[in-house]
Amino acid sequence: MGVIAKVQPPVGLFIQHINIIINHKTCLINYRSSSSSSRLSLRTKATMVKAIRVYELGGPEVLKWDSIEIGEPQDGEIRVKNKAIGLNFIDIYFRKGVYKAASFPFTPGMEAVGEVVAVGPGLTGRKVGDIVAYAGNPMGSYAEEQILPADKVVPVPPSIDPITAASIILKGMTAQFLVERGHTVLVHAAAGGVGSLLCQWANALGATVIGTVSTEEKATQAKEDGCEHVIIYKNEDFVSRVNEITSGKGVDVVYDSVGKDTFQGSLECLKLRGYMVSFGQSSGTPDPIPTSALAAKSLFLTRPSMMHYTTNRDELLEAAGEVFASVACGVLKARVNHTYPLSEASQAHADLESRKTTGSVVLIP
């Protein structure tokens, strides 16, 4: 058995979710046992903290290091002092205006780990001093401190340090809902933040993993992460190479976070009834395709979002628990290959966009 997309079409052809089992050992983290009473913050007034602000859309240079006012948490909220902040391509989409921020100007960022420094009145289940992680909405993690809904954070196990947790919570939960059992998969940007985790997880579940990368250095990492075959797309055509590797059969699933540059070729790599999972667009938005392009091989096409797979507290706890358990068990290795001071977020964005990075990028307040 290998890996196939967990993103299920309406016809429900895929098998139900299967817990990770490695070497007959199931790794579990139980988040539902926490019922600690809250302790109030010592702060009573709003204070100023440093943050990255976006006052106009554009390149990395629009990321400004500024001061913002932050108040006390209200009902159902906590105040968190961030220790590590994950950088993701979705941050770039918001900075450019590909995705529209809910307000303007705004503080970007959708992934962080920090210490709870204040809790709202009457809140239970969280207390001052807890180390928590969050991924997704609300946006605003590029800050020294932030106010968060208490039901949007998860506790970080003591065995996982904040930088590791911040590098893997959003990317890991993305990989978690994408990966399921199947046969042969193609992962684009296999040395990237999500790509690295997809390769590791798919390999652990027994898949034949084919990865595409841009350099020899990235190819080495992809092989370490479980890619049986690595294609350096600058040196050879990935469609022809996949056809050769699979003896003309194609792959069951393509995981494509690149978008415009790889989309059409990805469709060509799929076997009959294959799954095209488009979950990013680092090279630009793919050109529209007619449904007849899918009909030629009865293909499935999906554009999933992690936020739609963590819509309630139970889904969030299950996804985060599986990610952290997989790290604890050694199924997943967080590759924090680059760290930057939060004040240098513009340089981090520039390096990520120019494909100078591998693995995860973390900002340190």
Side-chain angles (χ1 to χ4, degrees):
M1 291 291 285
V3 174
I4 201 164
K6 188 182 292 182
V7 184
Q8 300 190 7
V11 292
L13 295 179
F14 286 143
I15 61 176
Q16 296 297 313
H17 177 78
I18 301 173
N19 287 331
I20 289 265
I21 300 178
I22 303 296
N23 295 329
H24 307 289
K25 178 178 68 175
T26 303
C27 300
L28 298 174
I29 290 180
N30 183 3
Y31 281 150
R32 294 173 175 79
S33 61
S34 176
S35 59
S36 303
S37 299
S38 62
R39 290 183 292 173
L40 297 179
S41 165
L42 297 178
R43 295 191 179 98
T44 58
K45 297 180 180 179
T47 55
M48 302 299 291
V49 299
K50 301 295 285 188
I52 295 293
R53 297 288 282 170
V54 175
Y55 296 98
E56 60 178 324
L57 303 176
E61 70 279 358
V62 305
L63 298 173
K64 303 300 183 182
W65 185 235
D66 207 348
S67 296
I68 61 172
E69 186 178 88
I70 183 169
E72 287 301 298
Q74 302 304 308
D75 291 347
E77 294 180 335
I78 58 175
R79 180 168 168 168
V80 177
K81 183 176 182 179
N82 287 329
K83 292 178 173 288
I85 300 157
L87 170 58
N88 297 278
F89 242 99
I90 194 171
D91 305 341
I92 294 172
Y93 301 154
F94 277 108
R95 190 202 74 216
K96 288 182 171 180
V98 176
Y99 295 166
K100 187 177 180 180
S103 61
F104 200 88
F106 65 92
T107 299
M110 305 186 77
E111 179 180 38
V113 171
E115 180 181 356
V116 177
V117 294
V119 299
L123 183 69
T124 60
R126 295 274 65 82
K127 66 180 186 299
V128 171
D130 284 350
I131 304 299
V132 297
Y134 102 101
N137 292 317
M139 185 167 59
S141 66
Y142 284 24
E144 292 176 329
E145 297 187 21
Q146 64 185 131
I147 300 292
L148 289 169
D151 63 357
K152 294 295 185 181
V153 305
V154 297
V156 177
S159 61
I160 299 177
D161 67 87
I163 291 177
T164 297
S167 77
I168 206 169
I169 182 66
L170 188 148
K171 300 170 189 67
M173 289 198 298
T174 298
Q176 184 266 349
F177 81 80
L178 289 176
V179 175
E180 191 55 282
R181 296 184 178 238
H183 300 286
T184 303
V185 302
L186 172 63
V187 179
H188 287 299
V194 177
S196 170
L197 299 175
L198 277 171
C199 292
Q200 293 177 56
W201 220 330
N203 177 67
L205 289 172
T208 298
V209 183
I210 305 170
T212 69
V213 296
S214 59
T215 66
E216 290 285 355
E217 178 187 5
K218 292 181 178 181
T220 299
Q221 177 185 304
K223 289 178 181 177
E224 293 174 355
D225 286 340
C227 284
E228 186 172 334
H229 306 277
V230 181
I231 301 167
I232 302 177
Y233 62 80
K234 290 184 177 180
N235 299 342
E236 54 186 336
D237 177 64
F238 76 84
V239 177
S240 299
R241 184 72 181 108
V242 168
N243 187 62
E244 178 184 342
I245 292 169
T246 63
S247 300
K249 296 177 181 178
V251 299
D252 297 277
V253 186
V254 176
Y255 296 110
D256 191 336
S257 63
V258 177
K260 186 178 180 65
D261 291 351
T262 55
F263 192 87
Q264 186 59 46
S266 293
L267 293 176
E268 295 175 27
C269 288
L270 288 166
K271 63 168 50 174
L272 289 176
R273 303 189 303 276
Y275 286 77
M276 172 66 175
V277 182
S278 173
F279 67 100
Q281 51 199 44
S282 60
S283 67
T285 303
D287 295 327
I289 62 168
T291 55
S292 58
L294 305 178
K297 292 191 286 186
S298 294
L299 300 178
F300 296 94
L301 169 62
T302 183
R303 178 57 171 91
S305 167
M306 186 208 73
M307 275 73 85
H308 295 153
Y309 287 78
T310 54
T311 58
N312 58 56
R313 185 70 178 162
D314 286 342
E315 288 179 339
L316 174 62
L317 292 173
E318 179 182 0
E322 191 167 339
V323 170
F324 287 144
S326 296
V327 174
C329 290
V331 174
L332 296 181
K333 176 184 178 182
R335 289 187 175 274
V336 187
N337 294 343
H338 311 271
T339 60
Y340 300 76
L342 177 58
S343 59
E344 297 178 12
S346 59
Q347 185 61 56
H349 273 229
D351 290 348
L352 179 60
E353 283 186 274
S354 61
R355 302 187 181 185
K356 293 180 179 179
T357 66
T358 59
S360 296
V361 179
V362 174
L363 306 173
I364 308 298

